[in-house]
């Protein structure tokens, strides 16, 4: 997969998916599949446009993103995206009209555009009909219909709501792969090790959306996967008020410090609670371990 910045040269004919793609849920996947089909017809390649930063901050919204740009690129590549055209969303880009934005895209060898039924672009909110009119002499514009679950439109907002309500199972059903985080292992306080449950303290981007709680999941490090228990939030038993991500990798032997770990959340186990002492916590962690293995 090749990643270029909007404005950089790309001579390959492409069918481009328009959107932000803060995650890849079922609606986004359908969009990409439509682009692949059109690309096959046109002798082109499937491409995707996205922002390389948290555009919500520029819009003045105090919201976190489901995935960082680095994480999103991994997802795109896993789904068969061949080219990503990325742009940092800033005040200058924010002021561009839909027509101005589409004119920039026309510098590429566009054989098709694919967007969702409710997609809008530019400061004037150019909709799918407007996009079709602007590009009618340039390329085809395919519009993908609404994808729903239980009568509700599948969206990034819905995924956030499900995660926030501990519905990791439902969120994962709607995502292209189980919700995950990628970070680097740093030194912690070592409380877990003293109880026989050494944990990897994982740094994550400050603007990444993370659902608090204890989860069973999978951790990938050095090309291998391990079942794991993940604690996202505070550590009240030891009086630690700092929000952190800690993972105990079952059956892992070795030093994790400095390594990059991908942790996928597969099963919600319980809320984070304050135990009377370390022994009580250790007993619960043993139960968590068994529950995580049974996933």
């Amino acid at each position: 997969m090749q990643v270029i910045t909007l404005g950089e040269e790309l001579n390959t004919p492409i069918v481009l998916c328009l959107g932000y793609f803060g995650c890849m849920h079922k609606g986004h996947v359908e969009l990409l599949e439509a682009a692949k089909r059109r690309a096959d017809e046109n002798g082109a390649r499937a491409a995707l446009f996205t922002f390389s930063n948290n555009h919500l901050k520029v819009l003045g919204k105090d919201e976190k993103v489901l995935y960082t740009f680095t994480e999103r690129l991994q997802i795109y590549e896993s789904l068969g995206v061949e080219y990503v055209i990325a742009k940092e969303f800033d005040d200058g880009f924010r002021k561009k009209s839909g027509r101005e934005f589409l004119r920039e895209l026309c510098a590429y060898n566009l054989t098709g555009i694919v967007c969702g039924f409710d997609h809008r672009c530019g400061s004037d909110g150019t909709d799918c009909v407007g996009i079709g009119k602007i590009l009618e002499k340039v390329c085809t514009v395919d519009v993908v219909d609404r994808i729903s679950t239980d009568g509700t439109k599948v969206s990034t907002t819905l995924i956030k709501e499900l995660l926030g309500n501990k519905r990791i199972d439902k969120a994962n059903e709607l995502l292209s792969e189980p919700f995950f985080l990628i970070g680097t292992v740093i030194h912690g306080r070592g409380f877990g090790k003293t109880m026989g449950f050494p944990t990897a303290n994982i740094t994550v981007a400050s603007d990444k959306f993370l659902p608090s709680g204890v989860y069973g999941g999978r951790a990938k490090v050095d090309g291998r996967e391990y079942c794991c228990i993940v604690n996202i939030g505070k550590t009240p038993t030891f009086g630690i008020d700092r929000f952190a991500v800690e993972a105990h990798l079952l059956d892992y032997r070795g030093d994790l410090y400095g390594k990059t770990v991908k942790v996928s959340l597969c099963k919600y186990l319980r809320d984070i609670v304050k135990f009377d002492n370390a022994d009580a916590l250790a007993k619960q962690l043993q139960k968590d371990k068994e529950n995580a293995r049974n996933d």
Side-chain angles (χ1 to χ4, degrees):
M1 184 178 76
Q2 183 178 343
V3 182
I4 66 171
T5 300
L6 180 64
E8 289 185 336
E9 186 174 342
L10 176 64
N11 295 320
T12 304
I14 59 173
V15 173
L16 184 64
C17 295
L18 287 186
Y20 168 53
F21 305 104
C23 66
M24 287 300 283
H25 55 59
K26 283 187 173 182
H28 293 146
V29 173
E30 182 60 33
L31 217 71
L32 177 58
E33 291 304 311
K36 288 179 181 179
R37 291 192 294 270
R38 179 64 76 178
D40 286 342
E41 293 173 3
N42 297 352
R45 303 297 185 202
L48 179 150
F49 175 84
T50 189
F51 298 126
S52 58
N53 61 327
N54 183 353
H55 71 294
L56 299 173
K57 286 187 175 180
V58 181
L59 293 172
K61 299 179 181 180
D62 186 21
E63 292 185 37
K64 297 189 175 185
V65 294
L66 283 176
Y67 291 112
T68 65
F69 184 52
T70 299
E71 291 169 340
R72 286 189 281 124
L73 290 181
Q74 286 199 15
I75 300 172
Y76 303 156
E77 185 168 27
S78 72
L79 292 173
V81 176
E82 297 181 76
Y83 295 94
V84 172
I85 300 176
K87 169 65 179 176
E88 181 179 351
F89 189 87
D90 54 22
D91 284 333
F93 187 82
R94 179 183 182 180
K95 295 174 183 176
K96 290 181 182 292
S97 67
R99 183 176 292 277
E100 289 172 323
F101 167 58
L102 294 170
R103 188 181 298 130
E104 286 189 78
L105 293 182
C106 286
Y108 297 103
N109 188 356
L110 292 179
T111 71
I113 288 285
V114 179
C115 58
F117 74 100
D118 57 352
H119 177 71
R120 293 178 179 272
C121 66
S123 58
D124 54 346
T126 301
D127 62 13
C128 296
V129 175
I131 293 172
K133 289 180 179 179
I134 293 171
L135 297 178
E136 61 182 347
K137 295 183 179 180
V138 177
C139 64
T140 59
V141 176
D142 295 315
V143 179
V144 174
D145 290 336
R146 169 187 175 122
I147 303 295
S148 300
T149 178
D150 300 326
T152 301
K153 186 187 80 169
V154 177
S155 65
T156 300
T157 298
L158 176 60
I159 301 296
K160 282 185 177 180
E161 290 177 358
L162 291 170
L163 291 173
N165 291 326
K166 322 295 186 184
R167 292 294 312 280
I168 187 70
D169 54 342
K170 183 63 176 179
N172 286 344
E173 285 180 14
L174 301 178
L175 290 169
S176 62
E177 66 176 276
F179 180 73
F180 69 87
L181 60 95
I182 295 176
T184 304
V185 178
I186 61 173
H187 287 274
R189 298 175 183 265
F191 292 127
K193 189 175 183 179
T194 62
M195 296 186 296
F197 290 88
T199 59
N201 289 264
I202 304 171
T203 61
V204 293
S206 59
D207 63 345
K208 180 176 174 67
F209 181 89
L210 290 171
S212 63
V214 180
Y215 298 85
R218 305 290 298 178
K220 187 173 184 179
V221 58
D222 292 336
R224 292 190 61 185
E225 276 198 351
Y226 301 86
C227 184
C228 67
I229 307 168
V230 191
N231 188 98
I232 300 177
K234 301 175 182 179
T235 314
T237 302
F238 297 105
I240 301 175
D241 200 41
R242 180 176 60 86
F243 192 96
V245 178
E246 300 175 86
H248 171 63
L249 279 60
L250 282 59
D251 305 321
Y252 180 83
R253 301 290 181 271
D255 187 353
L256 284 169
Y257 295 122
K259 293 183 180 293
T260 298
V261 180
K262 176 181 178 180
V263 176
S264 301
L265 306 183
C266 302
K267 181 181 182 181
Y268 174 72
L269 299 179
R270 60 179 175 85
D271 285 339
I272 295 174
V273 297
K274 182 177 181 179
F275 292 87
D276 292 336
N277 51 56
D279 288 340
L281 175 56
K283 289 180 181 179
Q284 179 59 55
L285 289 174
Q286 184 59 43
K287 294 179 182 178
D288 295 338
K289 181 177 178 179
E290 294 169 3
N291 288 335
R293 280 196 190 280
N294 292 331
D295 181 48

